[in-house]
Amino acid sequence: MGTLPRVARAALHRWEEPCISGTRGSGTVFFSGCPLGCVYCQNYALSHDGQGREVSVERLSGIFRQLEEQGAHNVNLVNPTHFVPAIRRALLLRRPGVPVVYNSSGYERVRTLRAMEGLVDVYLPDFKYADADAARVYSDAEDYPQVALAAIQEMCRQTGLPRYDANGLMTRGTLVRHLILPGLTGASMRALNLLRERLPAGTPVSLMGQYTPCGEAAKYPGMNRRITRREYARVRAHMLAIGLTEGYVQDLSAADEAYIPAFDGTGL
């Protein structure tokens, strides 16, 4: 990636958590490229192949305005990490009148996040792995667990516990996502244990069961299938048992490629 943002889609998106999508949709800007190399990435054309169009800082600011004018509940920056300097400038040109959501893999430097302090209202990070081996094999990032934990702790420091408006939309806070991978329910439980131990009590967690084999998943034993209802139920029971009762669980019908938007330049 270069220094200017590369964007593949900017449109209302209705498939985030209810407190993000609401009734009108989240104003989602999908950026190309990624700091991680996840072999199963649902947005493989963006993260690995760099599909998208380069835009100026001024145009990016205009895209934020357009989404707001379309009725978006928020401006949702999907995978913004590697374009933070340009995104920061775009937000400083004009601060949106709706919350800004920073939607990322969790693989962040703390100093990067501090550059966004005061400009981000809601952090929506993944916490993918508690195990270095899985992080290395599936995302080419052996240090993911410690890096992501430090980053999410910084996000929680910046936002505090979640705040919601009268319609249940999150206006400030950090909501952590965890995606269950097939055959790795034990690893998911360990990840949830870390979140319970290291994050402020009351931090909401979204337990995701939408894994769909994409990218190069078929090359890795056991990864070429969706998770089962039994796997999801097992991890969900553990999450509740350890006291992670704030957040969301997911209908497994969301595990379908139909929920992946078209990265066709819409909104650019």
Side-chain angles (χ1 to χ4, degrees), residues 164-169:
Y164 303 88
D165 68 12
N167 297 312
L169 291 162

Side-chain angles (χ1 to χ4, degrees), residues 9-30 42-43 46 66-68 70-78 101 103 124 169 177 208 210 250 254 256-263 266:
R9 181 182 178 86
L12 297 179
H13 188 59
R14 292 178 169 83
W15 305 116
E16 308 285 26
E17 286 77 3
C19 67
I20 303 296
S21 288
T23 57
R24 298 194 302 270
S26 177
T28 309
V29 183
F30 287 93
Q42 290 186 342
N43 298 343
L46 271 66
Q66 285 175 198
L67 291 169
E68 192 176 345
Q70 291 168 25
H73 290 297
N74 45 60
V75 171
N76 185 354
L77 311 171
V78 179
V101 179
N103 182 341
L124 192 59
L169 291 162
R177 292 168 159 175
M208 302 173 77
Q210 68 187 50
Q250 191 173 44
D256 192 303
E257 291 187 19
Y259 290 90
I260 302 172
F263 302 120
T266 295

Side-chain angles (χ1 to χ4, degrees), residues 167-199:
N167 297 312
L169 291 162
M170 187 179 284
T171 58
R172 190 163 180 82
T174 299
L175 170 61
V176 184
R177 292 168 159 175
H178 175 72
L179 176 68
I180 303 170
L181 298 178
L184 296 176
T185 55
S188 284
M189 292 178 189
R190 290 189 291 277
L192 293 174
N193 288 344
L194 274 179
L195 294 177
R196 179 68 181 86
E197 294 165 7
R198 303 289 183 85
L199 299 186

